[in-house]
């Protein structure tokens, strides 16, 4: 059976990493072979591209260049890491995937979902996560977390109206794909958020077991 592909999405500083770590532990304890990875990145070539995209000095990078670089990193990551792991039956948890490109480059940079989806066709080969957790927190809290954590990268430094467009992009994706995208209020207590995520994963595993 093909492995399970889970993604986490949402604004920066939304508490994704903690929940990814906890879900990894939960799945591993239940005998799943889990691979945790991230975008942009997850393998050597894609990590190099990540460095290029997020470099704060590249103020002149155009939206199209940025979108193509994310897609290029994804192409390498899918072919080298994600697809082989899924074929080997592993559970893959990925911190961001195509939805981030749709929200950030499609909505945030105003390229539109269709253009960004087209750019990514060769990168994903149609690979879609089975479940996506959209971890939402309000923009202010997100900003506070990002600025309190480290020096913000090029995208994190974007103005509030860009971040708002990104959030609305994620809203629109959640409206379009309610079966796949589970909206999680990540501003709550870690344990409460965790319980909700585990509930969804448990239900998904049961559906898979029963061939639904
Ligand atoms: P990270 O901080 O969650 O690792 O992601 C790095 C930044 O890249 C974050 O601000 C979101 C952004 N991003 C995009 O704009 N498009 C994409 O396709 C991905 C994967 C990330």
């Amino acid at each position: 059976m093909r492995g399970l592909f889970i993604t986490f999405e949402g604004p920066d500083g939304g508490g994704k990493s903690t929940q990814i770590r906890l879900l990894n532990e939960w799945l591993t304890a239940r005998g799943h072979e889990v691979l945790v990875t991230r975008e942009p990145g997850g393998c050597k070539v894609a990590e190099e591209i990540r460095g290029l995209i997020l470099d704060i000095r590249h103020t002149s990078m155009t939206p199209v260049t940025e979108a193509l670089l994310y897609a290029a990193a994804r192409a390498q990551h899918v072919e080298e890491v994600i697809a082989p792991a899924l074929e080997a039956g592993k559970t893959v948890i990925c911190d961001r995937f195509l939805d981030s490109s749709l929200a950030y480059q499609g909505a945030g940079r105003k390229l539109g979902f269709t253009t960004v989806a087209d750019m990514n066709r060769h990168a994903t080969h149609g690979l879609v996560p089975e479940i996506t957790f959209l971890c939402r927190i309000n923009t202010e809290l997100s900003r506070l977390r990002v600025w309190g954590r480290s020096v913000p990268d090029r995208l994190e430094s974007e103005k509030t109206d860009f971040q708002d467009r990104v959030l609305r992009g994620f809203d629109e994706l959640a409206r379009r794909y309610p079966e796949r995208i589970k909206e999680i209020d990540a501003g709550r207590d870690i344990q409460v958020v965790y319980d909700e995520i585990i509930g969804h994963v448990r239900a998904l595993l049961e559906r898979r077991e029963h061939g639904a």
Side-chain angles (χ1 to χ4, degrees):
M1 193 199 221
R2 220 187 71 137
L4 180 60
F5 185 29
I6 303 173
T7 58
F8 280 75
E9 296 282 1
D12 299 294
K16 288 182 280 109
S17 339
T18 307
Q19 294 300 331
I20 288 173
R21 181 173 52 75
L22 294 172
L23 178 59
N24 179 11
E25 284 168 14
W26 188 85
L27 286 164
T28 306
R30 274 151 194 83
H32 290 253
E33 216 183 313
V34 184
L35 176 88
V36 175
T37 185
R38 70 166 181 182
E39 290 207 343
C43 56
K44 197 163 187 311
V45 169
E47 288 289 337
E48 297 261 340
I49 298 173
R50 178 188 176 92
L52 185 64
I53 305 175
L54 299 181
D55 191 328
I56 199 88
R57 291 170 306 171
H58 295 320
T59 48
S60 64
M61 189 181 292
T62 71
V64 170
T65 304
E66 182 182 288
L68 287 169
L69 285 173
Y70 278 112
R74 182 163 300 126
Q76 186 71 30
H77 188 217
V78 167
E79 194 159 334
E80 190 179 326
V81 178
I82 300 179
L86 292 174
E87 272 153 33
K90 292 184 189 160
T91 297
V92 176
I93 306 177
C94 194
D95 184 347
R96 300 192 181 282
F97 193 62
L98 177 60
D99 295 313
S100 273
S101 282
L102 297 171
Y104 282 81
Q105 283 66 54
R109 300 290 190 213
K110 301 184 180 171
L111 292 177
F113 284 173
T114 312
T115 303
V116 175
D118 283 348
M119 285 175 169
N120 276 275
R121 227 166 284 287
H122 293 289
T124 64
H125 299 287
L127 177 67
V128 179
E130 236 157 298
I131 194 163
T132 297
F133 294 108
L134 175 52
C135 296
R136 333 182 124 284
I137 53 167
N138 67 48
T139 318
E140 275 316 302
L141 185 55
S142 154
R143 293 222 126 203
L144 281 175
R145 285 200 188 163
V146 166
W147 287 81
R149 194 173 52 194
S150 56
V151 180
D153 62 39
R154 199 172 57 82
L155 271 87
E156 288 169 341
S157 312
E158 278 291 341
K159 297 188 187 58
T160 310
D161 58 342
F162 170 81
Q163 308 293 356
D164 286 345
R165 282 198 300 279
V166 170
L167 285 184
R168 286 201 297 277
F170 277 128
D171 282 341
E172 177 58 25
L173 290 168
R175 255 196 304 276
R176 285 190 193 189
Y177 309 107
E179 289 297 307
R180 170 175 66 86
I181 301 181
K182 308 296 174 200
E183 292 186 79
I184 304 290
D185 173 3
R188 295 168 301 165
D189 186 73
I190 289 176
Q191 183 67 40
V192 176
V193 177
Y194 168 73
D195 287 343
E196 191 171 325
I197 290 175
I198 297 303
H200 284 298
V201 173
R202 216 191 273 277
L204 173 61
L205 291 172
E206 274 164 21
R207 282 201 301 279
R208 276 168 70 94
E209 231 166 72
H210 297 107

